[in-house]
């Protein structure tokens, strides 16, 4: 039983040609995951070393492009598996010759490890982004001269310390 592959050529459902495509897909996925990991690391470094936020927008835009590519690649991989009747990439490697299967399994393990590391990097970057936002909020409150309300005024004080209505603890200082 043969099917037409993505590149227009004939590819057998369980033969070497279809599975060779599986190995190349795993290799492409590894490249995309490496790019995404490098972009997340760059974002982390930018967030750690730039209090002004300089470079964050550009780094996030690059990361967004890579993550969109990963999402699109996942759709290609799902179509590949669906066309060939496999439920997972691991299953598609079974019919390969031993050397190709070993290479494919090694790529599969490398991709899984990289995905795990990428998830951790993304969580770390999210934390850094939240801290950066809190840092900006703090400085905005300082620039707005947010002050304590009359609740925190000394006993017997006749004036309200916060004429603008922004209370210090409501303003995240």
């Amino acid at each position: 039983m043969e099917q037409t592959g993505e590149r227009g050529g004939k590819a057998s459902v369980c033969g070497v040609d279809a599975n060779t495509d599986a190995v190349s897909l795993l290799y492409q996925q590894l490249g995309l995951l490496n790019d995404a990991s490098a972009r997340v690391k760059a974002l982390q470094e930018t967030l750690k070393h730039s209090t002004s936020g300089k470079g964050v927008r550009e780094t996030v835009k690059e990361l967004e492009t890579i993550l969109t590519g990963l999402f699109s690649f996942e759709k290609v991989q799902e179509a590949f598996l669906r066309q060939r009747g496999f439920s997972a990439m691991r299953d598609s490697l079974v019919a390969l010759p031993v050397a190709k299967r070993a290479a494919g399994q090694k790529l599969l393990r490398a991709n899984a490890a990289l995905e795990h590391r990428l998830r951790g990097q993304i969580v770390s970057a999210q934390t850094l982004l939240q801290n950066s936002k809190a840092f900006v909020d703090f400085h905005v409150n300082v620039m707005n001269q947010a002050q304590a309300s009359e609740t925190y005024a000394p006993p017997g004080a006749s004036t309200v310390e916060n004429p603008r209505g922004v209370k210090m603890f409501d303003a995240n200082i």
Side-chain angles (χ1 to χ4, degrees), residues 50-66:
S50 175
T51 57
S52 67
K54 183 177 181 181
V56 172
R57 176 177 285 161
E58 296 81 13
T59 308
V60 168
K61 189 169 182 138
E62 291 172 1
L63 177 60
E64 186 178 85
T65 302
I66 295 294

Side-chain angles (χ1 to χ4, degrees), residues 5-58:
E6 287 96 19
R7 295 186 181 117
K10 296 275 182 172
S12 65
V13 173
C14 296
V16 174
D17 292 350
N19 289 317
T20 302
D21 286 338
V23 172
S24 69
L25 283 175
L26 289 170
Y27 186 74
Q28 290 173 25
Q29 183 181 17
L30 184 65
L32 287 169
L33 289 170
N34 274 322
D35 286 348
S37 180
R39 298 291 189 246
V40 172
K41 186 174 181 172
L43 176 61
Q44 289 172 326
E45 292 301 314
T46 302
L47 290 170
K48 286 177 188 176
H49 300 293
S50 175
T51 57
S52 67
K54 183 177 181 181
V56 172
R57 176 177 285 161
E58 296 81 13

Side-chain angles (χ1 to χ4, degrees), residues 100-126:
K100 287 261 187 201
R101 185 181 325 137
Q105 289 171 341
K106 184 177 179 181
L107 283 169
L108 204 57
R109 284 190 302 273
N111 285 347
L114 200 49
E115 284 175 359
H116 181 72
R117 187 174 83 194
L118 185 59
R119 281 188 201 103
Q121 286 179 307
I122 288 173
V123 168
S124 175
Q126 286 174 331

Side-chain angles (χ1 to χ4, degrees), residues 119-150:
R119 281 188 201 103
Q121 286 179 307
I122 288 173
V123 168
S124 175
Q126 286 174 331
T127 302
L128 287 168
L129 281 168
Q130 289 169 350
N131 291 344
S132 293
K133 181 192 176 301
F135 182 76
V136 169
D137 289 345
F138 173 80
H139 284 284
V140 166
N141 289 330
V142 168
M143 288 187 299
N144 285 333
Q145 298 176 350
Q147 299 173 355
S149 68
E150 58 273 2

